[in-house]
Amino acid sequence: MKVLVTGGAGYIGSHTVLCLLEEGHDVVVLDNLSNSNAESLIRVQEITGKQVALQEIDLLDSAAVHGVLRGGNFDSVVHFAGLKAVGESVVDPLTYYKNNVAGTINLLESMQSAGVHRLVFSSSATVYGNSENVPLTEKLHLEATNPYGRTKQHIEEMLNDLCTSDPTWAVALLRYFNPAGAHESGLIGESPVGVPNNLVPFVAQVAVGRRDKLFVFGGDYPTIDGTGVRDYIHVMDLAEGHLAALGHIQRNCGAFKWNLGTGKGSSVLEVVDAFGKAAGRSIKYELVARRPGDAAVSYADAAAALADLGWSARRNLEQMCADHWRWQVSNPNGYER
Ligand code: NAD
Ligand code: UDP
């Protein structure tokens, strides 16, 4: 089938494009490259031996988005495009609402007028806020605690309303836990701009010598070793989850929501230890104060995705660190040459 992938040049998008191409689908990427590099798609073509078209377009340019969808003959859209830095969203909420929510409205209007009614959307476990009801199930009430998370929550609500208003829509809301790792080739991976916000890319930059040490945010949580616990999911498992969701919305209409996580939590120090082993060097770190707004523990109840999609994460923390390290050590500056 022919799939439009918004944000397909980014971290999770590029890995999903790779899986789509390997499954024999035609892929067009729509991305404004605001947080990515077209090199990711050149590498995807190298790995797969298949072509992917890039439309360098901003979702806020509704005429251009209409132009891509009109006559594009797409079967489905996978929608990754969005801004994702929690701290930045607190400082500049309007930019986040405009880019993520208004950008999504433009996309949906274009899909509507082109008669394309199948969508997979990148939501996030952040919609659960700081719920202490772990493992987190899809049935929980949503209570995002920052503007970024609220953009995801609002988009989920908008998509639910759209499916209620028009039963020909089929939408998968995928709530990602903590993606990390890279394709096993080491040719594509996460290439953060500036200082990484997330744990694994920060640890990787310490390991490769780009940063002196990791600051561990909080050592006094009620967890196995006092550090925060998260559900780290290999980006290739996550990518494969999108293909399973696309399959489901071929056969079923309505709005569906699934957690994409492993169901297992790891502490910051467990990640540091696993990454150190993968890289064959110790990771220097310093325990500092908690990061405001952080939950102590977050991990998925992954049963629904298994039951409905037959999907579950197959790769463990060790493989994730080994793959992330292979990418980092062969591309110390990411896609910046
Ligand atoms: P990313 O920044 O690597 O990819 C997002 C892509 O969208 C980038 O290529 C960027 O250039 C593009 N983009 C942003 N705004 C755009 C616009 N207005 N028009 C066109 N393109 C635009 O991020 P990622 O880690 O691959 O995340 C993909 C999606 O998954 C995002 O929606 C993110 O919020 C969501 N998500 C990510 C995580 C995570 O930890 N990485 C966790 C949960 C959810
Ligand atoms: N973390 C940390 N140092 C960092 C980045 C993150 O100690 O430089 C911790 C953070 O407090 C949390 C875990 O690592 O317990 C995962 O953080 P991340 O930002 O990657 O994901 P999120 O908190 O959004 O789930």
Side-chain angles (χ1 to χ4, degrees):
M1 66 188 166
K2 190 169 175 195
V3 185
L4 179 68
V5 182
T6 76
Y11 172 45
I12 306 168
S14 56
H15 288 79
T16 305
V17 168
L18 186 152
C19 290
L20 285 164
L21 292 173
E22 283 184 337
E23 291 279 305
H25 302 296
D26 284 340
V27 180
V28 175
V29 167
L30 183 160
D31 201 306
N32 65 359
L33 304 180
S34 59
N35 196 40
S36 54
N37 192 312
E39 176 69 18
S40 63
L41 296 176
I42 294 170
R43 305 250 182 121
V44 164
Q45 294 182 141
E46 232 176 82
I47 297 166
T48 59
K50 296 184 177 167
Q51 295 298 308
V52 51
L54 169 64
Q55 296 275 1
E56 196 176 331
I57 284 173
D58 195 312
L59 275 183
L60 294 175
D61 182 348
S62 53
V65 177
H66 265 67
V68 171
L69 273 142
R70 198 183 317 116
N73 218 10
F74 293 104
D75 175 88
S76 320
V77 176
V78 185
H79 178 31
F80 293 101
L83 299 174
K84 62 168 184 174
V86 172
E88 195 178 68
S89 79
V90 174
V91 174
D92 190 3
L94 291 185
T95 296
Y96 270 68
Y97 282 105
K98 188 170 177 185
N99 193 77
N100 293 4
V101 180
T104 300
I105 293 174
N106 282 345
L107 175 67
L108 295 173
E109 284 178 343
S110 298
M111 289 176 65
Q112 182 90 284
S113 62
V116 181
H117 288 183
R118 291 192 193 98
L119 178 78
V120 176
F121 172 61
S122 299
S123 187
S124 166
T126 189
V127 296
Y128 297 119
N130 285 352
S131 171
E132 288 174 3
N133 292 307
V134 286
L136 299 164
T137 77
E138 291 87 348
K139 293 188 185 72
L140 285 168
H141 179 68
L142 302 191
E143 47 189 3
T145 55
N146 56 66
Y148 163 69
R150 280 189 281 271
T151 68
K152 295 294 182 191
Q153 193 170 327
H154 289 324
I155 295 167
E156 283 206 14
E157 285 162 354
M158 197 162 69
L159 289 167
N160 281 319
D161 288 341
L162 183 59
C163 290
T164 305
S165 75
D166 180 347
T168 65
W169 276 83
V171 173
L173 310 171
L174 302 184
R175 297 176 181 161
Y176 311 157
F177 279 67
N178 293 62
H183 184 255
E184 61 181 13
S185 63
L187 285 171
I188 58 169
E190 187 169 14
S191 181
V193 176
V195 182
N197 295 305
N198 297 115
L199 178 67
V200 176
F202 201 108
V203 169
Q205 291 194 1
V206 174
V208 85
R210 270 178 77 179
R211 305 197 181 272
D212 175 42
K213 61 183 167 191
L214 169 73
F215 297 99
V216 176
F217 301 142
D220 58 351
Y221 286 110
T223 60
I224 179 175
D225 54 21
T227 65
V229 166
R230 295 290 184 275
D231 185 339
Y232 297 93
I233 175 168
H234 196 297
V235 67
M236 289 303 296
D237 280 326
L238 196 57
E240 288 164 12
H242 289 72
L243 272 81
L246 270 173
H248 190 91
I249 61 170
Q250 294 299 311
R251 301 182 296 273
N252 302 279
C253 288
F256 306 93
K257 52 191 181 219
W258 290 291
N259 287 338
L260 295 186
T262 66
K264 182 180 178 302
S266 304
S267 74
V268 174
L269 293 183
E270 285 173 332
V271 172
V272 166
D273 183 58
F275 206 97
K277 286 190 175 121
R281 52 191 79 177
S282 69
I283 310 291
K284 199 166 146 195
Y285 69 86
E286 180 185 337
L287 280 174
V288 297
R290 292 180 179 191
R291 184 169 64 179
D294 266 2
V297 178
S298 164
Y299 59 92
D301 179 329
L306 179 60
D308 299 344
L309 305 176
W311 172 93
S312 61
R314 297 186 287 133
R315 300 161 179 90
N316 62 19
L317 185 65
E318 284 65 38
Q319 186 171 355
M320 181 188 303
C321 292
D323 290 338
H324 203 111
W325 175 241
R326 190 176 307 109
W327 150 254
Q328 181 71 76
V329 76
S330 38
N331 304 270
N333 298 315
Y335 294 116
E336 309 296 327
R337 287 166 192 280

